[in-house]
Amino acid sequence: MNYLKMIKQKEAKRLALIHDGIPYTYGELVEKAVKLSQDDTVFPENFKKEADKKQIHIIQRKEILDQLLEFLSCSERKLIPMIVPKEITISLKQLENINIPENACMAVMTSGTCGEPKILFRTYESWADFFPVQNEIFGIKETSRLFVQGSLAFTGNLNLYLAQFFAGAVIIAENTFSPKKWLDRIEQKQADSIYLIPSKLFCLLQVLEKKGEKNKDNIKIIVTGSQGFSGEDAKRLKQYFSQAELLYYYGASELNYLTYIKDKDMTWEKNLVGKPFPGVTVFVKNGEIFIDTLYHAEGISCPCTISDKGYLDRNGNLYFCGRSDDILEIHGCKISAVFIENALEQIEEIEEAVVMVLIEKEQQVLTAFVSLKEEMLREFLYWQSKKLTDQYKMIDMITQGYFLGEVKRNKVFQKLKNKLKSYEIPDKLIVVREMPRNDSGKIEKKKLKQEWNRQFSSCWD
């Protein structure tokens, strides 16, 4: 079984996808995918063909529709599709010696915040057999109209597209990053559910706040994940989507959806990720999260760990405390970057925070990069332009950014004293206009650190 066969089983005249405002039925998707599979310019012989040997086909299209059609058409050519961000270069020689599992129907490339990307293979069943479970939790049914934005190289997007098609439902997709256009499309095409990562939801929220529009009663479900999300964030959204149930999930590309929590159970703690999905077992050993599930990538033996840290409370709720490399050591003390980031993000002025240890003048410096909420950023930039001194230099980091002024910084530190131990309070706060992100919307901590080291380590020499 494969995903093109799955779509072929749906009623041909039934609406499947609205891509940048243009509708496509299930029959039209099948027709276009089959026609594309016959195009030898799209599917050249990339390397020597060996009898019965499976091959990976790399997809690096810009448009979501093109990504989807090429993904589906691979099954007609008996190729293993892998959608990859355009900026990633993969040598075909790298693919020649990869052992592709016999039952694999697709490959995905992980793109975590740290470390090198890796290729994972999945069978049809490893996702599709779990679709009834996740669709029940996410409220996806045959009549659903789910709005999604962004590349299918992000496995969260690809999974939910295929889960919608499994249900015979409709995807409303947008290529461009334009929250105002998203809102217009949601209203025009009568979306009843939304899937966006938190940072994109907050962009949508800013548009709604500016327009002063509330009570978007047509939205019944909002699904989000991959970034921290709290009960306070849910309350902000429910001011505008009053009839929506908000659902946050925790998952992993190597495995599947693992835990979830609904808005009524959320607290101020952004690292509370809820209870396991049906059929998934979660336990914690020596501070490390272990998972037992049937729905995982090939080559993984469960129970297993993906090096995430966390703990379970007495009610069985899981708290995510970051990956192994989020546990920092400074001056002989071990601290959780995620815990400090959550404390910073509870401060009214701060939108997002990234904490890491930098080396300055051969000394360890616990550093927090922060982005500010829009109104606070405008105020901050105004006052900094008035009071710039040699000590607080203007810097140009990824996009423009500035050091946080001494008075404001002291206020922030004062607020942190009630939440953190003295050695957990950052030595330095650096404001950036926005955080660098990968295709999945996750903050690229490695890039942030590299840019700082490359461009600005001389600021304090």
Side-chain angles (χ1 to χ4, degrees), residues 160-367:
L160 279 181
Y161 268 64
L162 298 174
Q164 282 282 112
F165 296 151
F166 179 87
V170 178
I171 286 281
I172 302 168
E174 280 293 316
N175 271 294
T176 56
F177 193 96
S178 174
K180 186 178 183 302
K181 185 180 285 187
W182 304 346
L183 188 60
D184 291 341
R185 197 74 76 195
I186 286 168
E187 293 174 347
Q188 293 165 5
K189 301 304 178 182
Q190 300 177 315
D192 61 12
S193 46
I194 295 172
Y195 170 63
L196 292 170
I197 59 174
S199 59
K200 292 182 180 180
L201 280 176
F202 298 145
C203 290
L204 194 65
L205 189 58
Q206 287 177 3
V207 174
L208 287 165
E209 288 171 342
K210 285 179 180 177
K211 294 178 76 171
E213 295 182 5
K214 296 191 177 183
N215 298 324
K216 301 295 181 184
D217 294 342
N218 55 308
I219 301 299
K220 306 303 181 187
I221 296 281
I222 298 176
V223 177
T224 191
S226 295
Q227 298 169 350
F229 193 79
S230 70
E232 293 303 311
D233 297 326
K235 285 179 184 177
R236 285 177 64 197
L237 282 164
K238 284 182 75 71
Q239 289 179 10
Y240 296 88
F241 300 101
S242 59
Q243 300 302 308
E245 180 176 65
L246 275 79
L247 192 147
Y248 178 87
Y249 70 81
Y250 162 66
S253 297
E254 298 93 328
L255 301 170
N256 211 309
Y257 295 106
L258 304 175
T259 68
Y260 71 98
I261 186 169
K262 296 182 178 181
D263 57 88
K264 63 182 178 63
D265 299 316
M266 292 177 183
T267 69
W268 61 268
E269 297 165 291
K270 285 194 172 187
N271 63 333
L272 171 58
V273 295
K275 295 183 178 179
F277 276 77
V280 176
T281 301
V282 176
F283 61 96
V284 176
K285 186 177 180 180
N286 297 325
E288 196 162 340
I289 300 171
F290 283 79
I291 306 295
D292 196 358
T293 176
L294 297 174
Y295 311 101
H296 53 73
E298 292 293 275
I300 290 177
S301 178
C302 285
C304 69
T305 178
I306 50 173
S307 300
D308 285 356
K309 300 293 184 178
Y311 64 92
L312 291 163
D313 68 16
R314 65 180 65 183
N315 296 316
N317 289 299
L318 180 67
Y319 290 76
F320 171 70
C321 297
R323 290 187 173 268
S324 296
D325 42 23
D326 288 325
I327 305 301
L328 309 177
E329 186 165 342
I330 184 166
H331 307 313
C333 299
K334 288 189 176 181
I335 57 176
S336 167
V338 172
F339 184 74
I340 300 170
E341 288 161 5
N342 288 341
L344 282 162
E345 288 170 2
Q346 289 169 43
I347 295 172
E348 183 183 2
E349 295 88 348
I350 294 175
E351 186 71 53
E352 289 183 296
V354 171
V355 173
M356 62 182 72
V357 175
L358 299 178
I359 304 297
E360 289 183 3
K361 296 183 178 179
E362 300 182 355
Q363 297 293 317
Q364 288 183 315
V365 179
L366 185 60
T367 305

Side-chain angles (χ1 to χ4, degrees), residues 377-388:
L377 179 62
R378 285 198 302 268
E379 181 182 340
F380 169 73
L381 294 178
Y382 172 78
W383 286 110
Q384 284 299 96
S385 68
K386 298 286 185 184
K387 296 171 18 180
L388 275 176

Side-chain angles (χ1 to χ4, degrees), residues 99-121:
N99 183 30
I100 301 175
E102 182 180 352
N103 295 323
C105 77
M106 60 180 285
V108 297
M109 178 171 281
T110 62
S111 57
T113 54
C114 300
E116 295 299 319
K118 58 183 177 180
I119 296 173
L120 305 170
F121 294 96

